[in-house]
Amino acid sequence: MAAQLPSIQDSPPSHKELFYNGQWHAPLSKEYRETFNPGNGSVIDQVAQAGARDVDAAVEAAHQAFAGWRSTPPAQRAAYLRKAADVIRQHAEQLALLDALNTGNPVAEMLSDAKVAAANLDYFAGLTPMVRGETIPQSDDSFHYTLREPLGVVARIIAFNHPAMFAGAKMAALLAAGNTVIIKPPDQAPLSCLRLAEILSDVFPPGVLNILPEGVECGKALSTHPLVSKVTLIGSVPTGKAIQRAAADTLKPTLCEYRQTGQGVARGMNFTWAGQSCGSTSRVFLHESHHDEVLRRVRDYVRTHFKPGVPTDPSTTMGPVISKAVQERVLSYIESAKQEGAELLLGGKAPTGIPEIEGGYFVEPTIFANVQPHMRIAREEIFGPVMSVFKWTDEDEVIRQVNDTRYGLTAAIYTQSMATAHRTVPKIETGFIWVNQVGNHFLGIPFGGFKESGSGRRSVWTSCCRLRRRSVSMLACGDAADMQR
Ligand SMILES: NC(=O)c1ccc[n+]([C@@H]2O[C@H](COP(=O)([O-])OP(=O)(O)OC[C@H]3O[C@@H](n4cnc5c(N)ncnc54)[C@H](O)[C@@H]3O)[C@@H](O)[C@H]2O)c1
């Protein structure tokens, strides 16, 4: 695979500005900000920052493009999406390398991200003819039907952990349904999204796909803009709440997911990207009958499979966290766990003695056993490489503990009994549950959270369209009678 990777020098996007209306624009604010390589702390480049006036211009362009895009026949929209998928596939290695450089996620794993994005575009291209309403029988003298219509301009604000995948995959259904899209890349890691804008710049008609790098201010301006019909976020709970508050004024909808077990527990924690995945199974509940055996296997697996290294090196198995501030926050959680009496089994500090990652924001893969429900690491989202292990004996009590959190995105159940799985699944308060597997995602299967982990479910058309009901009285309208015949 190493031979397939392009050189790092050739990979960064040549444009660092704002992409809208099919063109690159310097920011009206004239502001640029440094973007970093979390693998060594160095500055990679300066990237434009979209201000409120830039957001106005981009939203206007997307709004103007909407009428043409929504009336483009579904088969033609599908052809645009398939072309985008092909182009992304051709640049998969470059996008993976850019995300490794800018997020710290190991490049070998990031290769699949661009492929997932392309697969989503192909999948939703195939579904464009399925954006359908239904007819509803009533009485003999009336005829009722519903239409699914695109919403208009949709803003997608995305988190830093998988930028190219979040941008590429999650535009697919929106575009297929006839919406125009503005993507706001993560402030920490905008480079792969800028490259996406470059490679897709002549794929879609101007204004259909727009990409505006910046941070919170741009996100806020998008959330409150009257011409933005919907804001979708992949991000943290406080951001989701802030966006819902901001969007409320303009009434926008928001969408805010023994060996085999040991390996599953270890893999579910996503140590590869330093635990920075929304779906990480960071709390592990092991029954006392196999607690010690599974825990030993988990520790051995993590110790041998996840070694901090240079993110752009294809042999690296674990990257840094995204920034110095996040590294300090994760280390402070580790300190709190030690002070509250959890038992440190592995890791617990920033790695030392590895010259090639000096200056990077790394934290060793960390496992705490004997974690109690009241401890901070058991209650708050760390979003770092820290796993908390609990021992349990009583099924009702463990389900109570599993649900005793503000969050509810994913869970995984490992059991030899399908009866146990079926009995337990409905009791667990998460939007997505794996059984005897973990971390896999499936095309077209809704993914989203319960409680503070999300509102809405990323399903196919419900999140991209509004449902318009039409009632036609045959007595009042001859055309309608013709339609029914
Ligand atoms: N539920 C999921 O599917 C999912 C997937 C990946 C990550 N996440 C979550 O994302 C978080 C980590 O990513 P992050 O640190 O980039 O999250 P974040 O919430 O800090 O930022 C996410 C995005 O929102 C923007 N933003 C921040 N404040 C905003 C505001 N007030 N208005 C509009 N936009 C605003 C940011 O610029 C960024 O682009 C974790 O909490 C993780 O659980 C969730």
Side-chain angles (χ1 to χ4, degrees):
M1 188 205 62
Q4 296 167 0
L5 285 180
S7 80
I8 294 182
Q9 288 72 22
D10 292 342
S11 295
S14 45
H15 291 92
K16 317 289 169 0
E17 299 85 34
L18 319 174
F19 181 76
Y20 58 86
N21 209 14
Q23 290 169 341
W24 291 93
H25 302 263
L28 295 168
S29 63
K30 298 195 170 37
E31 227 189 288
Y32 283 74
R33 203 160 53 200
E34 293 171 334
T35 190
F36 292 89
N37 172 352
N40 61 16
S42 66
V43 175
I44 307 172
D45 216 324
Q46 306 272 338
V47 172
Q49 303 293 293
R53 285 189 303 142
D54 301 298
V55 168
D56 275 347
V59 172
E60 185 56 39
H63 180 63
Q64 292 298 331
F66 174 57
W69 182 245
R70 72 173 294 180
S71 55
T72 301
Q76 277 182 32
R77 281 207 301 272
Y80 283 111
L81 265 70
R82 288 200 180 95
K83 174 91 191 295
D86 284 346
V87 172
I88 289 177
R89 240 177 249 115
Q90 284 158 20
H91 292 83
E93 289 79 18
Q94 201 177 49
L95 292 166
L97 199 57
L98 272 179
D99 271 344
L101 193 67
N102 209 188
T103 68
N105 292 343
V107 68
E109 296 292 335
M110 297 310 276
L111 277 172
S112 59
D113 276 22
K115 292 175 186 163
V116 169
N120 270 270
L121 284 155
D122 275 339
Y123 177 80
F124 284 104
L127 285 178
T128 50
M130 303 307 292
V131 188
R132 292 177 180 172
E134 41 187 18
T135 55
I136 304 157
Q138 265 295 328
S139 55
D140 283 349
D141 61 355
S142 67
F143 171 58
H144 302 266
Y145 65 97
T146 60
L147 295 174
R148 284 208 185 275
E149 297 182 339
L151 298 158
V153 180
V154 179
R156 279 209 65 86
I157 301 175
I158 58 181
F160 69 81
N161 46 339
H162 295 275
M165 182 182 76
F166 288 154
K170 306 306 177 194
M171 68 169 95
L174 293 168
L175 291 172
N179 301 284
T180 54
V181 175
I182 300 181
I183 291 173
K184 194 201 87 54
D187 11 335
Q188 306 93 329
L191 294 181
S192 64
C193 291
L194 289 171
R195 188 71 190 120
L196 262 185
E198 282 180 353
I199 62 180
L200 298 179
S201 60
D202 57 0
V203 170
F204 293 104
V208 169
L209 173 65
N210 310 275
I211 299 193
L212 295 185
E214 207 273 0
V216 176
E217 290 315 311
C218 171
K220 283 183 179 164
L222 286 167
S223 314
T224 52
H225 201 292
L227 287 181
V228 173
S229 304
K230 177 168 182 168
V231 184
T232 70
L233 168 77
I234 299 182
S236 63
V237 170
T239 303
K241 288 182 176 174
I243 289 177
Q244 286 204 326
R245 278 193 296 272
D249 278 347
T250 44
L251 292 180
K252 295 187 213 321
T254 53
L255 180 71
C256 296
E257 135 150 67
Y258 292 41
R259 189 172 75 85
Q260 191 198 353
T261 307
Q263 289 186 12
V265 168
R267 288 197 312 102
M269 187 55 225
N270 296 303
F271 283 112
T272 309
W273 17 86
Q276 297 173 122
S277 179
C278 56
S280 298
T281 43
S282 53
R283 294 182 307 150
V284 179
F285 295 84
L286 298 178
H287 189 265
E288 64 173 355
S289 63
H290 52 254
H291 173 277
D292 296 352
E293 175 64 20
V294 174
L295 188 55
R296 183 182 62 73
R297 287 172 182 270
V298 173
R299 187 193 54 199
D300 291 351
Y301 189 89
V302 173
R303 189 165 37 205
T304 50
H305 284 76
F306 302 102
K307 302 241 190 267
V310 176
T312 49
D313 177 342
S315 65
T316 290
T317 51
M318 181 179 179
V321 293
I322 188 70
S323 66
K324 180 100 193 116
V326 170
Q327 184 194 37
E328 283 164 7
R329 196 194 66 212
V330 173
L331 291 173
S332 85
Y333 271 112
I334 291 174
E335 277 318 302
S336 78
K338 289 179 189 164
Q339 277 165 25
E340 288 181 298
E343 181 190 345
L344 181 65
L345 278 192
L346 190 69
K349 58 181 174 48
T352 49
I354 315 176
E356 37 318 345
I357 59 167
E358 204 149 307
Y361 315 132
F362 290 85
V363 177
E364 289 178 343
T366 297
I367 302 176
F368 280 105
N370 195 22
V371 176
Q372 302 301 319
H374 66 272
M375 294 178 182
R376 264 186 81 207
I377 57 165
R379 308 202 68 78
E380 297 177 21
E381 186 190 32
I382 302 174
F383 215 58
V386 182
M387 177 189 282
S388 301
V389 181
F390 303 67
K391 190 189 279 191
W392 67 276
T393 48
D394 177 75
E395 185 176 305
D396 289 341
E397 175 56 17
V398 76
I399 288 173
R400 198 193 61 72
Q401 286 184 16
V402 165
N403 291 335
D404 183 22
T405 163
R406 296 184 284 138
Y407 305 105
L409 184 59
T410 63
I413 299 169
Y414 277 81
T415 175
Q416 290 179 322
S417 154
M418 277 300 115
T420 303
H422 285 298
R423 187 178 68 243
T424 314
V425 163
K427 297 180 186 168
I428 293 190
E429 296 168 358
T430 61
F432 199 99
I433 300 179
W434 290 283
V435 175
N436 291 340
Q437 58 166 320
V438 70
N440 298 328
H441 294 272
F442 305 91
L443 267 175
I445 302 297
F447 184 80
F450 286 178
K451 301 197 265 191
E452 294 191 12
S453 291
S455 62
R457 192 70 69 255
R458 280 185 235 146
S459 69
V460 185
W461 305 126
T462 46
S463 60
C464 308
C465 303
R466 59 188 173 174
L467 199 61
R468 183 194 287 269
R469 289 179 181 77
R470 294 260 166 92
S471 289
V472 181
S473 159
M474 286 168 54
L475 295 177
C477 174
D479 284 353
D482 290 338
M483 282 173 72
Q484 202 181 37
R485 274 200 292 273

